[in-house]
Amino acid sequence: MKKESKFWQLVKKNTPKIEWTRLESWSSYGVPDLLGYHDSCGFFMCELKIAHGKKISFSPHQILFHTTHTNRNFILVQQAAKASPPSVKLYPSSAIHDLQLGVARCLALDDWEHIERLLLDAPLDA
């Protein structure tokens, strides 16, 4: 199983209040990997990334999506175990350029309950 597929299984397992749909990204370039839903907040999207260092690579299509769709969209990053201790970090879509530079500040770190709460409670004008 690919690392991103394992990460997807981890997200699904640790965010049980969210109904997730994994999207086929090859059909529409730049669209995030996951579509999330909950009755309290509606739909939102989440890009999954595996990081091997401080800087994270994105395709031009992903950059365009995240810079033009910052409302209720997120980037969830799993730090690869070889690069440093394994961790999971949640970022808003608006942090995409800072993630490329390796200077982004995460919204949550290694706390699945907090990550799930942020995904569900993010205001519509975030």
Side-chain angles (χ1 to χ4, degrees):
M1 188 182 302
K2 288 184 176 182
K3 288 181 182 181
E4 193 171 288
S5 294
K6 288 181 184 178
F7 187 27
W8 151 237
Q9 294 300 321
L10 189 67
V11 170
K12 192 165 66 168
K13 175 185 170 194
N14 287 291
T15 55
K17 295 177 184 173
I18 300 171
E19 293 178 41
W20 290 108
T21 300
R22 186 152 189 211
L23 303 173
E24 296 296 333
S25 297
W26 55 265
S27 64
S28 185
Y29 297 118
V31 174
D33 300 305
L34 303 178
L35 177 66
Y37 178 81
H38 190 272
D39 287 338
S40 68
C41 64
F43 290 102
F44 57 93
M45 300 184 93
C46 193
E47 178 70 39
L48 299 181
K49 283 291 183 180
I50 304 293
H52 299 281
K54 289 186 178 184
K55 297 179 182 180
I56 299 172
S57 298
F58 294 92
S59 74
H61 298 286
Q62 290 172 321
I63 295 166
L64 180 62
F65 184 93
H66 285 285
T67 55
T68 58
H69 301 87
T70 56
N71 189 12
R72 304 245 340 109
N73 291 307
F74 302 90
I75 302 167
L76 195 57
V77 178
Q78 183 179 47
Q79 189 68 45
K82 291 180 183 176
S84 66
S87 64
V88 177
K89 299 176 183 177
L90 179 69
Y91 299 91
S93 278
S94 59
I96 194 163
H97 292 298
D98 288 341
L99 284 165
Q100 289 180 291
L101 298 171
V103 297
R105 295 185 63 177
C106 65
L107 299 171
L109 170 64
D110 294 332
D111 183 342
W112 283 107
E113 286 182 25
H114 187 52
I115 289 170
E116 184 175 56
R117 191 169 46 254
L118 288 170
L119 292 169
L120 295 176
D121 293 343
L124 292 176
D125 58 355

